[in-house]
Amino acid sequence: MPAKKTIAAPTRPSRRRGTSGTAQRRPEPSDPVVDRPLPALATDFIGWLVTSLSVRLSRSASSFYMERWDIGTTEYRLLLALGVEHECSAAFVAAAADVDKAAASRSLQVLSQQGLVTLARHGREMTITLTEAGRSLSQELYSTSQQREIRLTHGMSAAQVKRLRTDLHMLIENLPRLSDESFDAERPD
């Protein structure tokens, strides 16, 4: 029987907050969720394909943003939304980031502890404002998100990317139809 080989775990780059430039990075370790083959049902059903893409994107983003800025995907989404809105209520930023209110509340506390947002309570309402560090990080996250999207759509023309956006919006608009029991299962020609 051959001897077992010991494989060392890949080393991960150190966490670095707010770094940019051309520093050489180590290759990212393999992610079993991102790298696994698509389930067979993804070839038959758009919902499965979109879900598989969503899970893989979310897993990749979670690892990426946690590794670089010590923030999760919920904090990332809130920071991007606040980068557009600058100052708003907790309920508004949760809706703008498409995040559950309870998850947003927990993440806003984390961002406050990290010095990225200030939280000011006015009665039952809470106003959220980016700090200077939060504004800077939000801008960096926005730029990084654009770069990641370019990588994600590699090989697609600008027209294809535009069409993909349109098609994805159409799928979202059609979601309420899934609960309509009177729908006709046949596709229109």
Side-chain angles (χ1 to χ4, degrees):
M1 183 177 257
K4 286 185 177 179
K5 290 185 180 180
T6 304
I7 300 173
T11 57
R12 297 176 69 90
S14 62
R15 289 187 179 167
R16 50 197 180 272
R17 181 184 212 114
T19 60
S20 60
T22 58
Q24 192 71 7
R25 292 185 180 149
R26 295 182 196 144
E28 292 296 321
S30 176
D31 184 324
V33 172
V34 173
D35 296 335
R36 72 179 171 216
L38 283 174
L41 288 171
T43 61
D44 294 335
F45 298 104
I46 291 172
W48 278 75
L49 186 58
V50 171
T51 299
S52 291
L53 174 62
S54 176
V55 167
R56 292 157 197 254
L57 278 174
S58 184
R59 178 73 175 257
S60 172
S62 178
S63 174
F64 183 83
Y65 294 110
M66 184 58 72
E67 185 67 33
R68 280 151 184 81
W69 293 285
D70 198 26
I71 59 170
T73 54
T74 302
E75 291 86 7
Y76 155 77
R77 292 169 73 161
L78 291 168
L79 284 168
L80 281 183
L82 284 164
V84 173
E85 299 301 329
H86 303 294
E87 181 180 304
C88 57
S89 71
F92 185 87
V93 74
D98 199 14
V99 173
D100 174 76
K101 287 181 190 177
S105 179
R106 288 188 298 273
S107 290
L108 288 168
Q109 292 298 323
V110 169
L111 293 173
S112 175
Q113 291 167 357
Q114 292 178 334
L116 299 171
V117 300
T118 57
L119 310 174
R121 187 163 294 282
H122 307 286
R124 296 185 67 170
E125 188 85 9
M126 186 177 306
T127 302
I128 317 301
T129 309
L130 285 173
T131 63
E132 188 62 40
R135 271 191 296 282
S136 176
L137 180 56
S138 179
Q139 290 169 352
E140 190 168 355
L141 291 173
Y142 188 87
S143 174
T144 300
S145 295
Q146 288 178 319
Q147 293 169 8
R148 285 176 55 86
E149 185 168 298
I150 289 168
R151 288 180 176 200
L152 179 65
T153 58
H154 175 77
M156 298 173 74
S157 69
Q160 288 172 316
V161 171
K162 183 177 180 182
R163 176 59 194 247
L164 176 61
R165 285 183 201 283
T166 300
D167 291 344
L168 290 172
H169 281 278
M170 179 66 71
L171 291 177
I172 291 169
E173 289 172 21
N174 285 337
L175 280 174
R177 298 186 75 204
L178 295 179
S179 61
D180 180 0
E181 295 183 23
S182 65
F183 74 90
D184 182 0
E186 291 191 30
R187 294 177 79 169
D189 291 326

PDB file of all heavy atoms in Angstrom, residues 120-140:
ATOM      1  N   ALA A 120     -26.945  57.363  15.205  1.00  0.00           N
ATOM      2  CA  ALA A 120     -27.561  58.385  16.059  1.00  0.00           C
ATOM      3  C   ALA A 120     -29.044  58.066  16.194  1.00  0.00           C
ATOM      4  O   ALA A 120     -29.766  57.998  15.186  1.00  0.00           O
ATOM      5  CB  ALA A 120     -27.361  59.767  15.457  1.00  0.00           C
ATOM      6  N   ARG A 121     -29.480  57.836  17.415  1.00  0.00           N
ATOM      7  CA  ARG A 121     -30.880  57.498  17.661  1.00  0.00           C
ATOM      8  C   ARG A 121     -31.681  58.778  17.872  1.00  0.00           C
ATOM      9  O   ARG A 121     -31.280  59.654  18.611  1.00  0.00           O
ATOM     10  CB  ARG A 121     -31.002  56.583  18.871  1.00  0.00           C
ATOM     11  CG  ARG A 121     -32.420  56.081  19.058  1.00  0.00           C
ATOM     12  CD  ARG A 121     -32.501  54.888  19.962  1.00  0.00           C
ATOM     13  NE  ARG A 121     -31.893  53.674  19.483  1.00  0.00           N
ATOM     14  CZ  ARG A 121     -32.424  52.850  18.575  1.00  0.00           C
ATOM     15  NH1 ARG A 121     -33.562  53.149  18.005  1.00  0.00           N
ATOM     16  NH2 ARG A 121     -31.811  51.744  18.240  1.00  0.00           N
ATOM     17  N   HIS A 122     -32.825  58.850  17.179  1.00  0.00           N
ATOM     18  CA  HIS A 122     -33.778  59.958  17.312  1.00  0.00           C
ATOM     19  C   HIS A 122     -35.127  59.329  17.610  1.00  0.00           C
ATOM     20  O   HIS A 122     -35.864  58.981  16.678  1.00  0.00           O
ATOM     21  CB  HIS A 122     -33.845  60.790  16.031  1.00  0.00           C
ATOM     22  CG  HIS A 122     -32.516  61.264  15.540  1.00  0.00           C
ATOM     23  ND1 HIS A 122     -31.831  62.285  16.151  1.00  0.00           N
ATOM     24  CD2 HIS A 122     -31.728  60.844  14.531  1.00  0.00           C
ATOM     25  CE1 HIS A 122     -30.688  62.477  15.513  1.00  0.00           C
ATOM     26  NE2 HIS A 122     -30.591  61.609  14.534  1.00  0.00           N
ATOM     27  N   GLY A 123     -35.427  59.146  18.889  1.00  0.00           N
ATOM     28  CA  GLY A 123     -36.648  58.437  19.266  1.00  0.00           C
ATOM     29  C   GLY A 123     -36.522  56.985  18.852  1.00  0.00           C
ATOM     30  O   GLY A 123     -35.574  56.302  19.205  1.00  0.00           O
ATOM     31  N   ARG A 124     -37.461  56.517  18.058  1.00  0.00           N
ATOM     32  CA  ARG A 124     -37.424  55.130  17.578  1.00  0.00           C
ATOM     33  C   ARG A 124     -36.620  54.982  16.292  1.00  0.00           C
ATOM     34  O   ARG A 124     -36.336  53.886  15.852  1.00  0.00           O
ATOM     35  CB  ARG A 124     -38.852  54.627  17.352  1.00  0.00           C
ATOM     36  CG  ARG A 124     -39.635  54.571  18.653  1.00  0.00           C
ATOM     37  CD  ARG A 124     -40.961  53.981  18.440  1.00  0.00           C
ATOM     38  NE  ARG A 124     -40.781  52.572  18.094  1.00  0.00           N
ATOM     39  CZ  ARG A 124     -41.735  51.691  18.021  1.00  0.00           C
ATOM     40  NH1 ARG A 124     -42.967  52.066  18.259  1.00  0.00           N
ATOM     41  NH2 ARG A 124     -41.498  50.445  17.695  1.00  0.00           N
ATOM     42  N   GLU A 125     -36.287  56.095  15.690  1.00  0.00           N
ATOM     43  CA  GLU A 125     -35.562  56.118  14.415  1.00  0.00           C
ATOM     44  C   GLU A 125     -34.056  56.221  14.666  1.00  0.00           C
ATOM     45  O   GLU A 125     -33.610  56.931  15.558  1.00  0.00           O
ATOM     46  CB  GLU A 125     -36.025  57.331  13.593  1.00  0.00           C
ATOM     47  CG  GLU A 125     -35.507  57.379  12.206  1.00  0.00           C
ATOM     48  CD  GLU A 125     -36.352  56.571  11.241  1.00  0.00           C
ATOM     49  OE1 GLU A 125     -37.435  56.105  11.604  1.00  0.00           O
ATOM     50  OE2 GLU A 125     -35.896  56.414  10.103  1.00  0.00           O
ATOM     51  N   MET A 126     -33.280  55.496  13.844  1.00  0.00           N
ATOM     52  CA  MET A 126     -31.829  55.588  13.934  1.00  0.00           C
ATOM     53  C   MET A 126     -31.289  56.115  12.612  1.00  0.00           C
ATOM     54  O   MET A 126     -31.664  55.626  11.553  1.00  0.00           O
ATOM     55  CB  MET A 126     -31.201  54.235  14.245  1.00  0.00           C
ATOM     56  CG  MET A 126     -29.714  54.343  14.473  1.00  0.00           C
ATOM     57  SD  MET A 126     -28.896  52.815  14.915  1.00  0.00           S
ATOM     58  CE  MET A 126     -29.818  52.263  16.300  1.00  0.00           C
ATOM     59  N   THR A 127     -30.434  57.117  12.690  1.00  0.00           N
ATOM     60  CA  THR A 127     -29.802  57.666  11.495  1.00  0.00           C
ATOM     61  C   THR A 127     -28.391  57.106  11.391  1.00  0.00           C
ATOM     62  O   THR A 127     -27.638  57.109  12.363  1.00  0.00           O
ATOM     63  CB  THR A 127     -29.748  59.210  11.556  1.00  0.00           C
ATOM     64  OG1 THR A 127     -31.079  59.697  11.703  1.00  0.00           O
ATOM     65  CG2 THR A 127     -29.133  59.788  10.295  1.00  0.00           C
ATOM     66  N   ILE A 128     -28.059  56.631  10.195  1.00  0.00           N
ATOM     67  CA  ILE A 128     -26.751  56.037   9.931  1.00  0.00           C
ATOM     68  C   ILE A 128     -25.969  56.988   9.028  1.00  0.00           C
ATOM     69  O   ILE A 128     -26.495  57.452   8.014  1.00  0.00           O
ATOM     70  CB  ILE A 128     -26.883  54.684   9.201  1.00  0.00           C
ATOM     71  CG1 ILE A 128     -27.999  53.833   9.781  1.00  0.00           C
ATOM     72  CG2 ILE A 128     -25.550  53.972   9.143  1.00  0.00           C
ATOM     73  CD1 ILE A 128     -27.887  53.496  11.219  1.00  0.00           C
ATOM     74  N   THR A 129     -24.727  57.252   9.399  1.00  0.00           N
ATOM     75  CA  THR A 129     -23.860  58.110   8.599  1.00  0.00           C
ATOM     76  C   THR A 129     -22.504  57.449   8.463  1.00  0.00           C
ATOM     77  O   THR A 129     -21.972  56.908   9.441  1.00  0.00           O
ATOM     78  CB  THR A 129     -23.682  59.492   9.278  1.00  0.00           C
ATOM     79  OG1 THR A 129     -24.957  60.023   9.598  1.00  0.00           O
ATOM     80  CG2 THR A 129     -22.942  60.458   8.373  1.00  0.00           C
ATOM     81  N   LEU A 130     -21.936  57.493   7.274  1.00  0.00           N
ATOM     82  CA  LEU A 130     -20.574  56.992   7.072  1.00  0.00           C
ATOM     83  C   LEU A 130     -19.579  57.941   7.724  1.00  0.00           C
ATOM     84  O   LEU A 130     -19.714  59.157   7.608  1.00  0.00           O
ATOM     85  CB  LEU A 130     -20.245  56.894   5.587  1.00  0.00           C
ATOM     86  CG  LEU A 130     -20.853  55.746   4.799  1.00  0.00           C
ATOM     87  CD1 LEU A 130     -20.554  55.909   3.311  1.00  0.00           C
ATOM     88  CD2 LEU A 130     -20.342  54.407   5.292  1.00  0.00           C
ATOM     89  N   THR A 131     -18.579  57.385   8.379  1.00  0.00           N
ATOM     90  CA  THR A 131     -17.466  58.193   8.862  1.00  0.00           C
ATOM     91  C   THR A 131     -16.538  58.440   7.665  1.00  0.00           C
ATOM     92  O   THR A 131     -16.752  57.892   6.578  1.00  0.00           O
ATOM     93  CB  THR A 131     -16.686  57.453   9.967  1.00  0.00           C
ATOM     94  OG1 THR A 131     -16.130  56.261   9.393  1.00  0.00           O
ATOM     95  CG2 THR A 131     -17.578  57.121  11.159  1.00  0.00           C
ATOM     96  N   GLU A 132     -15.500  59.206   7.882  1.00  0.00           N
ATOM     97  CA  GLU A 132     -14.517  59.436   6.809  1.00  0.00           C
ATOM     98  C   GLU A 132     -13.906  58.108   6.366  1.00  0.00           C
ATOM     99  O   GLU A 132     -13.770  57.834   5.171  1.00  0.00           O
ATOM    100  CB  GLU A 132     -13.427  60.405   7.287  1.00  0.00           C
ATOM    101  CG  GLU A 132     -12.485  60.837   6.186  1.00  0.00           C
ATOM    102  CD  GLU A 132     -13.170  61.593   5.062  1.00  0.00           C
ATOM    103  OE1 GLU A 132     -14.067  62.418   5.341  1.00  0.00           O
ATOM    104  OE2 GLU A 132     -12.824  61.355   3.881  1.00  0.00           O
ATOM    105  N   ALA A 133     -13.558  57.260   7.339  1.00  0.00           N
ATOM    106  CA  ALA A 133     -13.008  55.933   7.009  1.00  0.00           C
ATOM    107  C   ALA A 133     -14.049  55.098   6.273  1.00  0.00           C
ATOM    108  O   ALA A 133     -13.722  54.359   5.340  1.00  0.00           O
ATOM    109  CB  ALA A 133     -12.551  55.211   8.274  1.00  0.00           C
ATOM    110  N   GLY A 134     -15.303  55.213   6.673  1.00  0.00           N
ATOM    111  CA  GLY A 134     -16.382  54.484   6.002  1.00  0.00           C
ATOM    112  C   GLY A 134     -16.580  54.947   4.571  1.00  0.00           C
ATOM    113  O   GLY A 134     -16.795  54.137   3.664  1.00  0.00           O
ATOM    114  N   ARG A 135     -16.506  56.264   4.346  1.00  0.00           N
ATOM    115  CA  ARG A 135     -16.635  56.801   2.974  1.00  0.00           C
ATOM    116  C   ARG A 135     -15.504  56.295   2.094  1.00  0.00           C
ATOM    117  O   ARG A 135     -15.708  55.891   0.952  1.00  0.00           O
ATOM    118  CB  ARG A 135     -16.650  58.333   2.992  1.00  0.00           C
ATOM    119  CG  ARG A 135     -18.019  58.931   3.153  1.00  0.00           C
ATOM    120  CD  ARG A 135     -18.028  60.441   2.897  1.00  0.00           C
ATOM    121  NE  ARG A 135     -17.238  61.197   3.853  1.00  0.00           N
ATOM    122  CZ  ARG A 135     -17.628  61.491   5.081  1.00  0.00           C
ATOM    123  NH1 ARG A 135     -18.795  61.093   5.510  1.00  0.00           N
ATOM    124  NH2 ARG A 135     -16.861  62.191   5.879  1.00  0.00           N
ATOM    125  N   SER A 136     -14.298  56.319   2.647  1.00  0.00           N
ATOM    126  CA  SER A 136     -13.137  55.851   1.892  1.00  0.00           C
ATOM    127  C   SER A 136     -13.278  54.367   1.541  1.00  0.00           C
ATOM    128  O   SER A 136     -13.045  53.958   0.396  1.00  0.00           O
ATOM    129  CB  SER A 136     -11.867  56.088   2.715  1.00  0.00           C
ATOM    130  OG  SER A 136     -10.746  55.575   2.049  1.00  0.00           O
ATOM    131  N   LEU A 137     -13.680  53.556   2.521  1.00  0.00           N
ATOM    132  CA  LEU A 137     -13.857  52.129   2.265  1.00  0.00           C
ATOM    133  C   LEU A 137     -14.988  51.883   1.286  1.00  0.00           C
ATOM    134  O   LEU A 137     -14.877  51.048   0.390  1.00  0.00           O
ATOM    135  CB  LEU A 137     -14.093  51.367   3.567  1.00  0.00           C
ATOM    136  CG  LEU A 137     -14.296  49.864   3.429  1.00  0.00           C
ATOM    137  CD1 LEU A 137     -13.122  49.199   2.690  1.00  0.00           C
ATOM    138  CD2 LEU A 137     -14.493  49.228   4.800  1.00  0.00           C
ATOM    139  N   SER A 138     -16.083  52.619   1.406  1.00  0.00           N
ATOM    140  CA  SER A 138     -17.206  52.467   0.486  1.00  0.00           C
ATOM    141  C   SER A 138     -16.771  52.735  -0.956  1.00  0.00           C
ATOM    142  O   SER A 138     -17.136  51.994  -1.879  1.00  0.00           O
ATOM    143  CB  SER A 138     -18.341  53.417   0.876  1.00  0.00           C
ATOM    144  OG  SER A 138     -19.412  53.295  -0.030  1.00  0.00           O
ATOM    145  N   GLN A 139     -15.968  53.772  -1.153  1.00  0.00           N
ATOM    146  CA  GLN A 139     -15.469  54.079  -2.494  1.00  0.00           C
ATOM    147  C   GLN A 139     -14.562  52.961  -3.005  1.00  0.00           C
ATOM    148  O   GLN A 139     -14.632  52.577  -4.170  1.00  0.00           O
ATOM    149  CB  GLN A 139     -14.724  55.417  -2.489  1.00  0.00           C
ATOM    150  CG  GLN A 139     -15.634  56.597  -2.291  1.00  0.00           C
ATOM    151  CD  GLN A 139     -14.879  57.886  -2.015  1.00  0.00           C
ATOM    152  OE1 GLN A 139     -13.671  57.904  -1.832  1.00  0.00           O
ATOM    153  NE2 GLN A 139     -15.619  58.992  -1.962  1.00  0.00           N
ATOM    154  N   GLU A 140     -13.716  52.435  -2.126  1.00  0.00           N
ATOM    155  CA  GLU A 140     -12.822  51.348  -2.522  1.00  0.00           C
ATOM    156  C   GLU A 140     -13.627  50.082  -2.850  1.00  0.00           C
ATOM    157  O   GLU A 140     -13.333  49.381  -3.806  1.00  0.00           O
ATOM    158  CB  GLU A 140     -11.806  51.066  -1.414  1.00  0.00           C
ATOM    159  CG  GLU A 140     -10.717  50.135  -1.866  1.00  0.00           C
ATOM    160  CD  GLU A 140      -9.561  50.068  -0.885  1.00  0.00           C
ATOM    161  OE1 GLU A 140      -9.532  50.808   0.111  1.00  0.00           O
ATOM    162  OE2 GLU A 140      -8.661  49.242  -1.129  1.00  0.00           O
TER     163      GLU A 140
END
